[in-house]
């Protein structure tokens, strides 16, 4: 027998032809693994947990034992870890790279926040535990509340709203309660056309008629038109500041004064607070209520869609109407004011808007983040966020149309339009091209006031090197879209999926998995 | 045991102005300003009226602090609390302590899940989207419905969204709420009704072994949009919902069922199979944890024919340009970002990560594990109920229950709960706290027993109750 001496090849052969990438038998592509549904790989008889045997007792389920098969597949622990790990790799995330989704403030999510939120003293507390046993948790809510009040220059804060839209609801309910308390039934809420969809949806939900406020050509609320519309039927105006075009509403203070003079209230959508934290206090602009998305400005992770948290800061005029529950400091004790503990001076509260006391898991994270930054760091957050956005605006406004680029600096986000792209090329093509370049696309087609809007919010946690690479990619894509490079219309090429058919999904909705019929299975 | 001094955070200011989450250097900032054509960052804030511009950081607040300093402060606050795992623990009433397998928390912390946004770009969000599709299917099957959405904030908000949906479907404005519905859910519905103009009918529960199903049936009339009933109810009682569904349907009304303990559905019939049109719930008890009340997980499911009136996001199956199966957010013409003031709800951000945790935990359990878990909970609860009912001064209210039951004590349960807490026993939720306006049921104590409760815990509670009631 002779030993083979030549071994394995250690240098690749030169590749000339990239078009002939072979298909694989499994559909996998090395690290890119296809993953079937749990319903296709699991079984109702498999479990990944081991539980003690149930004691033998006579059942007291009221003769309602569940006899049918529920149809819930299980996987072993190892298969479960693999299933979700594989799926996770089909997601883009802020941990992977720039996620410049305008209006969403996708900043770095510090891991200290995660560690703190998981301390058993916070994570393993029941919301109805006796108050003497949760003083530290109430202290967290109180300490965070104090920060939010000081950072915004407002009078108080309602902590229980579960997200920004829920905060809008809180603010409008407080406004409605305040108006009702003075016997003043008003029916209209004014909302700019550039507003986020949650604003008109919330106003309608509270029983108000929504009317648009026109914008000026420079992308701001038309102060004169707004003033002209004010009257005894207007309950409130909802203004986003900085607004969804990435611009500061210069006239906010005079608008507030006019609104107040007309007996109405000012609701500010604070989704974009990141741009001004530590540099401007909404309380100084005459705002009566504003939600703060802790999952934006204060870095709590967005988790692929939530959870969020939307505390609402309130002016003195609205404070008596704040929802239950809230935390009060009484001497060296913290007291949770709820139905049981409320007394006369809480009588005007408009009630409870959620079971329990809000998003504690987000409070611990946000407070951790706030303490990490401190007053000086938070001011720097706004400065760097605005600097990064302006850097993007000025590095791209020669290749992409910036509709408000000539009206001065932007705040935390840079807005572009599809003007000037070759016939048939759209914002969507640029967005999908960015995917191939390794970036999450910007917010597209929002705000609705700009054609083919591309709203880029880099946030302060991006380095200059990351911004430069993003600019490089976007300049290249703008060039391709203007030159009419047909290949761009097929993008993305390198993502786990090519463009998906949303029309089909809506026309024939398949919202749950069903076992294939025999005919389908035979295919 | 707990030292009640809450530390004040002084901050630990560092020598320089380097902050660990801000990567720009001063020379980067200078270079970028010159590209922009601005002399300083202040120049970028020119649109802020001068009188509203803060010239310096806000006074009276600490400066930035090191990771170590912040962790120390937060850990000190955490130590001021008595956590469920440190005590014999029996609290439920809408939030339950269950063992969550270690891999759940590991997986939800993968950055690709944790730090992604709503899946607006489906080509690079198939991970989240497939999870949502699986979640929707798991929830629909568990609750016995055709379809489920991709989550709401929590059970209480899902409940009032269901009331609103019933109004849209029936075009009627009177909802009848069972006395066995969680009082916080009732409060939330009341708050909303005050502004939406719905008329709500509701009374506090009475301490009877039977639920109020018969009274609910008697109350249904031609103006009724829906009947809202909790299953098992706030006192732990379980009733067959079939007659209620029939009565509601006969009058053209809907049945909304609320499940605050979904583990129960591994043992008892699903509300959807008893005729409920909309089934909502609190999903916290599977995978999510207690977290002092949030974030939690609103479950929302209904019959197929009502899907276009549903609130919240829906994920659906489709194909990509190359014909491969994939998933997208769909039917978004119901939602605020398309329909604005005509949307079915204003919800945007939901509870995605909690839905992931729920789905992973449910996958680990599988049907077999869920049934075993449910049987274990019920068995332990039966044993505990019988043991506690032998304590002098204690009576068991329930004839039927799953893992939670109501004890009627010989005195107001509020004080008993507080005194037990002083002894390090978290003994249950008093009805006085839940229903402060119904003193006639103040002696009721709601006790939950899950797989995390040991026989020793039950003994400790029994002895402590005996002392309290002596
Ligand atoms: C401008 C604006 N307003 C309101 C919202 C709604 O906030 P949330 O998603 O937290 O409910 C968002 C974010 O989605 C937003 O960008």
């Amino acid at each position: 027998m002779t030993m083979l001496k030549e071994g394995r090849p250690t240098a690749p052969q030169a590749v000339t032809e990239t078009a002939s990438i072979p298909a694989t038998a499994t559909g996998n592509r090395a690290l890119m693994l296809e993953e079937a549904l749990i319903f296709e790989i699991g079984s109702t008889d498999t479990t990944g947990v081991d539980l003690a045997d149930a004691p033998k007792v006579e059942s007291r389920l009221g003769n309602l034992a569940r006899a049918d098969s529920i149809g819930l597949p299980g996987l072993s622990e190892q298969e479960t870890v693999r299933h979700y790990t594989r799926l996770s790799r089909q997601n883009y995330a802020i941990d992977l790279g720039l996620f410049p989704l305008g209006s969403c403030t996708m900043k770095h999510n510090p891991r200290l926040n995660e560690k703190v939120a998981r301390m058993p003293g916070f994570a393993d507390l029941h919301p109805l535990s006796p108050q003497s046993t949760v003083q530290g948790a109430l202290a967290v809510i109180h300490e965070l509340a104090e920060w939010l009040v000081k950072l915004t220059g407002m009078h108080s804060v309602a902590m229980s709203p579960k997200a920004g839209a829920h905060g809008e609801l809180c603010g409008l309910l407080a406004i409605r309660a305040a108006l009702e308390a003075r016997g003043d039934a008003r029916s209209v809420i004014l909302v700019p056309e550039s507003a986020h969809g949650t604003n008109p949806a919330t106003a309608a939900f509270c029983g108000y008629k929504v009317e648009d406020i026109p914008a000026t050509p420079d992308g701001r609320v038309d102060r004169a038109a707004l003033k002209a519309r004010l009257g005894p039927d207007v309950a409130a105006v909802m203004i986003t500041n900085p607004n969804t075009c990435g611009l500061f509403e210069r006239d906010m203070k005079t608008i507030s004064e006019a609104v107040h003079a007309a007996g109405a209230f000012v609701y500010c959508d604070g989704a974009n607070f990141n741009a001004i934290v530590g540099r401007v206090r909404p309380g100084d602009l005459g705002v009566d209520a504003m939600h703060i998305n802790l999952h934006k400005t204060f870095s709590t992770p967005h988790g692929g869609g939530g959870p969020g948290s939307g505390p609402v800061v309130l002016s003195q005029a609205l404070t008596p109407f704040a929802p239950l529950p809230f935390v009060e400091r009484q001497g060296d004790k913290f007291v949770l004011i709820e139905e049981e503990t409320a007394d006369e001076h809480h009588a005007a509260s408009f009630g409870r808007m959620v079971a329990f006391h809000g998003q504690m898991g987000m409070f611990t994270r946000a407070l951790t983040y706030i303490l990490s930054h401190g007053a000086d760091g938070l001011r720097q957050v706004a400065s760097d966020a605005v600097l990064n956005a302006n850097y993007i605006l000025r590095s791209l406004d020669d290749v992409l149309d910036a509709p408000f680029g000539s009206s001065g600096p932007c705040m935390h986000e840079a807005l572009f339009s599809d003007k000037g792209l070759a016939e048939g090329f759209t914002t969507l093509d640029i967005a999908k091209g960015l995917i191939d370049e390794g970036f999450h696309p910007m917010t597209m087609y929002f705000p609705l006031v700009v054609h083919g809007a591309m709203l880029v919010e880099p946030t302060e946690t991006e380095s200059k090197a990351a911004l430069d690479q993003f600019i490089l990619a976007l300049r290249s894509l703008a060039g391709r879209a203007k030159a009419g490079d047909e290949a761009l219309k097929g993008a993305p090429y390198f993502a786990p999926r090519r463009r998906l058919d949303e029309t089909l999904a809506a026309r024939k909705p398949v919202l749950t998995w069903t076992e294939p019929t025999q005919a389908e299975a035979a295919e | 045991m707990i030292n009640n001094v809450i530390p004040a955070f002084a901050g630990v200011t560092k020598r320089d102005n380097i902050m660990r989450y801000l990567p720009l250097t001063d020379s980067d900032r200078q270079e970028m300003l010159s590209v922009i054509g601005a002399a300083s960052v202040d120049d970028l804030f020119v649109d802020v009226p001068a009188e509203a511009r803060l010239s310096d950081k806000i006074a009276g607040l600490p400066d930035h602090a090191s990771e170590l300093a912040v962790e120390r402060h937060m850990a000190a606050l955490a130590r001021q609390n008595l956590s469920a795992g440190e005590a014999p623990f029996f609290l439920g009433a809408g939030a339950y302590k269950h063992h969550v397998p270690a891999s759940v928390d590991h997986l939800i912390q993968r950055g690709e899940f944790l730090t992604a946004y709503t899946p607006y770009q489906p080509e690079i969000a198939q991970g989240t989207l497939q999870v949502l599709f699986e979640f929707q299917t798991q929830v629909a099957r568990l609750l016995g419905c055709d379809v489920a959405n991709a989550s709401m904030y929590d059970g209480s908000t899902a409940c009032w969204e269901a009331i609103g949906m019933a109004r849209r479907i029936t075009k009627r404005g009177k909802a009848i709420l069972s006395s066995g519905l969680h009082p916080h859910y009732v409060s939330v519905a009341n708050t909303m009704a005050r502004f939406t103009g719905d008329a709500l009918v509701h009374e506090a529960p009475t301490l009877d072994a039977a639920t109020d199903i018969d009274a609910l049936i008697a109350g249904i009339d031609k103006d009724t949009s829906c009947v809202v009933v909790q299953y098992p109810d706030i006192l732990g009682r379980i009733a067959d919902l079939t007659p209620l569904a029939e009565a509601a349907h006969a009058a053209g009304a809907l049945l909304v069922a609320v499940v605050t303990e979904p583990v129960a559905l591994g043992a008892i019939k699903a509300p959807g199979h008893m005729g409920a049109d909309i089934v909502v719930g609190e999903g916290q008890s599977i995978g999510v944890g207690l977290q002092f009340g949030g974030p939690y997980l609103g479950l929302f499911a209904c019959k197929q024919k009502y899907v276009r009136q549903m609130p919240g996001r829906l994920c659906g199956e489709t194909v990509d340009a190359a014909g491969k199966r994939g998933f997208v957010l769909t039917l978004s013409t119901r939602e605020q970002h398309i329909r604005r003031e005509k949307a079915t709800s204003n919800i945007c951000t939901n509870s995605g990560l909690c839905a992931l945790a729920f789905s992973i935990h449910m996958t680990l359990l599988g049907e077999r594990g869920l049934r075993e878990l449910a049987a274990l909970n019920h068995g332990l609860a039966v044993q505990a109920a019988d043991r506690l009912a032998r304590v002098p001064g204690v009576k068991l209210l329930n004839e039927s229950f799953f893992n939670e039951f109501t004890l009627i004590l010989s005195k107001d349960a509020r004080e008993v709960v507080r005194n037990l807490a002083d002894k390090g026993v978290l003994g249950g939720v008093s009805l006085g706290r839940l229903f402060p306006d119904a003193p006639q049921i103040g002696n009721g104590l709601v006790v939950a027993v899950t797989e995390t409760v040991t026989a020793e815990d039950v003994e400790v509670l029994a002895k402590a109750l005996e002392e309290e009631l002596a």
Side-chain angles (χ1 to χ4, degrees):
Chain A
M1 215 192 325
T2 54
M3 289 236 294
L4 301 174
K5 294 248 173 66
E6 79 209 67
R8 63 183 178 84
T10 54
Q13 284 181 355
V15 177
T16 46
E17 185 67 62
T18 49
S20 65
I21 294 172
T24 57
T26 53
N28 294 332
R29 292 197 211 171
L31 293 180
M32 223 40 257
L33 298 157
E34 291 293 324
E35 182 65 4
L37 294 162
I38 49 172
F39 306 95
E40 295 160 336
I41 55 179
S43 95
T44 52
D45 207 33
T46 304
T47 182
V49 298
D50 43 8
L51 294 157
D53 287 332
K56 294 260 173 309
V57 296
E58 204 171 307
S59 154
R60 286 190 220 169
L61 298 171
N63 295 321
L64 288 166
R66 188 167 189 170
D68 61 302
S69 164
I70 311 172
L72 294 167
L75 297 174
S76 68
E77 175 172 315
Q78 182 264 14
E79 292 168 303
T80 303
V81 169
R82 223 168 244 180
H83 178 70
Y84 292 98
T85 302
R86 287 180 176 198
L87 288 182
S88 75
R89 294 161 51 93
Q90 302 186 11
N91 269 2
Y92 196 87
I94 188 76
D95 277 6
L96 283 171
L98 194 72
F99 207 128
L101 206 51
S103 207
C104 302
T105 316
M106 290 296 281
K107 60 170 72 178
H108 170 61
N109 300 150
R111 288 316 192 272
L112 176 62
N113 302 356
E114 297 305 308
K115 185 175 182 188
V116 167
R118 286 171 170 78
M119 291 174 176
F122 298 133
D124 194 24
L125 283 191
H126 192 283
L128 297 172
S129 281
Q131 298 203 15
S132 63
T133 67
V134 294
Q135 286 292 302
L138 299 179
V140 165
I141 300 178
H142 195 264
E143 189 171 346
L144 177 60
E146 282 198 330
W147 271 94
L148 297 179
V149 163
K150 285 188 180 151
L151 289 172
T152 55
M154 299 287 284
H155 194 75
S156 65
V157 57
M159 297 296 286
S160 67
K162 294 261 177 186
H166 205 222
E168 293 171 25
L169 199 55
C170 173
L172 292 196
L173 293 186
I175 288 170
R176 217 179 127 167
L179 288 168
E180 281 175 5
R182 66 176 198 225
D184 192 357
R186 295 177 174 230
S187 57
V188 175
I189 291 197
L190 304 179
V191 182
E193 286 169 335
S194 58
H196 194 260
T198 50
N199 292 192
T202 306
F205 208 89
C206 299
Y208 287 109
K209 197 166 152 283
V210 179
E211 282 185 32
D212 288 335
I213 314 174
T216 58
D218 76 344
R220 293 183 170 86
V221 167
D222 185 332
R223 181 176 58 169
L226 172 67
K227 277 191 179 164
R229 179 58 191 85
L230 287 171
D233 59 338
V234 174
V237 297
M238 293 182 93
I239 293 185
T240 308
N241 197 16
N243 71 21
T244 61
C245 300
L247 305 172
F248 194 86
E249 293 287 356
R250 286 186 207 117
D251 298 332
M252 188 74 188
K253 197 151 184 276
T254 46
I255 289 173
S256 297
E257 284 160 7
V259 172
H260 290 154
F265 290 93
V266 178
Y267 186 89
C268 181
D269 182 329
N272 298 334
F273 188 52
N274 200 51
I276 57 170
V277 59
R279 301 197 66 115
V280 182
R281 297 184 309 172
D284 296 336
L285 301 169
V287 168
D288 289 295
M290 180 182 91
H291 72 259
I292 300 169
N293 311 62
L294 296 186
H295 47 298
K296 298 183 180 187
T297 307
F298 296 112
S299 84
T300 74
H302 212 284
S309 178
V312 176
V313 286
L314 297 168
S315 63
Q316 190 161 7
L318 292 183
T319 294
F321 306 98
L324 294 175
F326 43 87
V327 177
E328 269 184 13
R329 188 177 198 138
Q330 295 178 0
D332 57 2
K333 252 183 37 194
F334 292 93
V335 180
L336 183 72
I337 305 293
E338 52 178 6
E339 289 81 351
E340 187 198 0
T341 39
D343 53 34
E344 309 81 65
H345 75 282
H346 308 111
S349 164
F350 72 70
R352 178 183 282 275
M353 44 187 322
V354 70
F356 313 127
H357 358 284
Q359 306 286 64
M360 182 65 181
M362 304 294 115
F363 298 160
T364 47
R365 288 172 174 90
L367 181 59
T368 300
Y369 172 83
I370 285 176
L371 294 177
S372 297
H373 267 302
D376 58 338
L378 288 172
R379 183 175 165 87
Q380 193 65 47
V381 162
S383 304
D384 284 357
V386 170
L387 180 65
N388 279 355
N390 277 282
Y391 182 64
I392 284 187
L393 179 66
R394 296 310 167 201
S395 303
L396 288 168
D397 63 1
D398 59 330
V399 293
L400 281 174
D401 173 57
F404 306 120
S406 57
S407 72
C410 64
M411 297 302 286
H412 60 299
E413 52 199 2
L415 178 61
F416 303 98
S417 85
D418 60 2
K419 195 164 138 194
L421 304 186
E423 181 69 28
F425 282 76
T426 62
T427 289
L428 190 72
D429 299 323
I430 301 227
K432 300 303 180 192
L434 267 176
I435 292 176
D436 278 340
E437 296 286 353
F439 293 99
H440 195 283
M442 64 289 271
T443 290
M444 47 182 204
Y445 301 98
F446 175 82
L448 306 178
V449 292
V450 166
H451 198 271
M454 295 178 240
L455 190 63
V456 182
E457 180 178 10
T459 84
E460 74 284 359
T461 61
E462 294 304 326
S463 68
K464 179 166 177 298
L467 297 179
D468 284 338
Q469 215 199 9
F470 177 73
I471 289 163
L472 176 83
L474 209 42
R475 290 189 73 87
S476 155
L477 290 166
R480 290 171 65 194
K482 286 172 150 177
D485 176 358
E486 283 297 324
L488 188 55
K489 298 183 108 6
Y493 294 91
F494 308 121
R497 286 292 178 273
R498 304 291 296 277
R499 287 189 203 191
L500 288 140
D501 190 343
E502 298 182 37
T503 309
L504 173 73
R507 205 176 57 227
K508 289 195 205 152
V510 178
L511 307 174
T512 54
W513 189 79
T514 44
E515 275 78 9
T517 59
Q518 276 183 346
E520 284 165 345
E523 269 176 28
Chain B
M1 175 182 27
I2 300 180
N3 132 33
N4 266 325
V5 184
I6 302 291
F9 184 72
V12 179
T13 312
K14 302 201 297 178
R15 274 163 316 195
D16 51 35
N17 64 357
I18 295 171
M19 202 290 152
R20 62 184 181 276
Y21 305 143
L22 298 176
L24 294 185
T25 65
D26 279 338
S27 70
D28 289 336
R29 292 182 180 113
Q30 280 315 318
E31 226 180 294
M32 292 162 73
L33 281 169
S34 70
V35 170
I36 295 165
S40 72
V41 169
D42 288 346
D43 289 355
L44 302 177
F45 287 83
V46 285
D47 288 326
V48 180
E51 70 271 22
R53 246 180 265 163
L54 301 175
S55 57
D56 200 358
K57 67 189 180 193
I58 294 170
L61 294 168
D63 277 345
H64 66 281
S66 68
E67 186 170 281
L68 174 61
V70 176
E71 183 174 335
R72 198 174 270 155
H73 175 69
M74 296 305 289
L77 288 170
R79 280 195 302 273
Q80 307 299 315
N81 305 312
L82 178 61
S83 68
E86 293 174 308
F89 176 84
F90 298 89
L91 275 67
Y96 302 87
K97 178 171 173 64
H98 287 286
H99 172 72
V100 179
S103 45
V104 174
D105 195 44
H106 166 78
L107 288 166
I108 69 166
Q109 284 196 77
R110 283 193 63 93
E112 302 92 327
F113 285 132
L114 184 74
T115 76
Y117 201 78
T118 304
Y120 291 138
Q121 297 287 345
E123 298 84 359
I124 46 171
Q126 285 300 303
T128 294
L129 285 159
Q130 182 169 331
V131 166
L132 291 179
F133 187 77
E134 294 176 347
F135 170 79
Q136 288 174 182
T137 309
Q138 286 172 320
V139 171
R141 290 181 174 193
L142 184 68
L143 304 181
C145 293
D146 300 327
V147 286
N149 77 7
S151 80
M152 307 297 288
Y153 303 134
D154 77 338
S156 69
T157 53
C159 178
W160 68 251
E161 290 272 16
I163 296 171
M165 179 167 152
R167 169 173 19 93
R168 290 193 298 276
I169 292 170
T170 61
K171 311 219 161 44
R172 301 173 180 183
K174 176 173 144 189
I176 302 175
L177 313 187
S178 160
S179 63
L181 179 61
H182 194 295
H184 285 179
Y185 291 35
V186 174
S187 299
V188 173
N190 272 326
T191 300
M192 295 314 303
R194 204 179 129 191
F195 299 100
T196 57
D198 289 279
L200 301 186
V201 181
H202 175 258
E203 284 171 17
T206 53
L207 294 181
D208 292 310
T211 66
D212 63 350
I213 296 270
D214 292 341
L216 292 173
I217 291 175
I220 298 172
D221 61 21
K222 64 175 184 8
D223 300 323
T224 306
S225 64
C226 62
V227 182
V228 185
V229 61
Q230 185 174 319
Y231 170 90
D233 77 359
I234 186 68
L235 303 184
R237 303 170 299 192
I238 312 172
D240 188 353
L241 304 182
T242 315
L244 187 57
E246 283 165 4
H249 295 158
L254 304 189
L255 177 63
V256 175
V258 178
V259 179
T260 62
E261 171 49 304
V263 172
L265 300 185
I268 56 174
K269 278 187 188 161
H273 294 158
M274 293 184 282
D277 301 278
I278 304 173
V279 185
V280 296
E282 174 51 72
Q284 163 277 336
S285 89
I286 298 178
V288 179
L290 288 172
Q291 306 195 80
F292 202 48
Y296 279 1
L297 172 64
L299 307 178
F300 200 111
C302 68
K303 292 182 174 162
Q304 178 74 37
K305 63 179 167 185
Y306 299 132
V307 70
R308 282 171 201 275
Q309 287 298 337
M310 260 182 143
R313 294 191 190 115
L314 286 165
C315 170
E317 186 181 317
T318 188
V319 293
D320 76 355
K324 274 195 191 169
R325 177 173 73 184
F327 302 92
V328 292
L329 293 179
T330 192
L331 298 184
S332 38
T333 48
R334 301 164 298 111
E335 290 184 73
Q336 46 76 25
H337 62 280
I338 311 280
R339 282 306 285 286
R340 299 176 75 83
E341 64 267 27
K342 299 202 178 61
T344 54
S345 166
N346 72 340
I347 192 169
C348 179
T349 291
N350 59 17
S351 295
L353 198 70
C354 302
L356 173 67
F358 177 102
S359 197
I360 298 171
H361 193 179
M362 192 59 97
T363 300
L364 279 164
L365 287 167
E367 180 156 343
R368 180 170 154 199
L370 179 69
R371 285 188 180 278
E372 287 173 3
L373 178 64
L376 179 57
N377 272 249
H378 185 55
L380 293 173
V382 167
Q383 290 183 328
D386 289 345
R387 170 66 188 91
L388 295 169
R390 290 204 307 274
V391 172
V394 173
K395 236 178 70 192
L396 174 64
L397 171 86
N398 302 60
E399 278 161 11
S400 64
F401 60 91
F402 170 61
N403 67 356
E404 186 168 35
F405 48 81
T406 299
L407 300 177
I408 305 171
L409 309 184
S410 53
K411 66 176 183 195
D412 193 308
R414 263 190 277 197
E415 191 192 324
V416 174
V417 166
R418 288 187 204 125
N419 293 344
L420 291 180
D422 289 343
K423 296 177 185 161
V425 179
L426 296 170
V429 179
S430 66
L431 290 184
R433 178 158 184 194
L434 292 172
F435 299 93
D437 297 331
Q440 70 279 9
I441 59 171
N443 289 11
L445 177 69
V446 181
V447 175
V449 179
T450 73
E451 76 284 1
T452 63
V453 170
T454 64
E456 296 84 73
D457 293 338
V458 176
E459 257 337 285
V460 172
L461 176 59
K463 295 265 156 57
L465 274 177
E466 198 163 331
E467 283 172 32
E468 263 318 297
L469 301 174

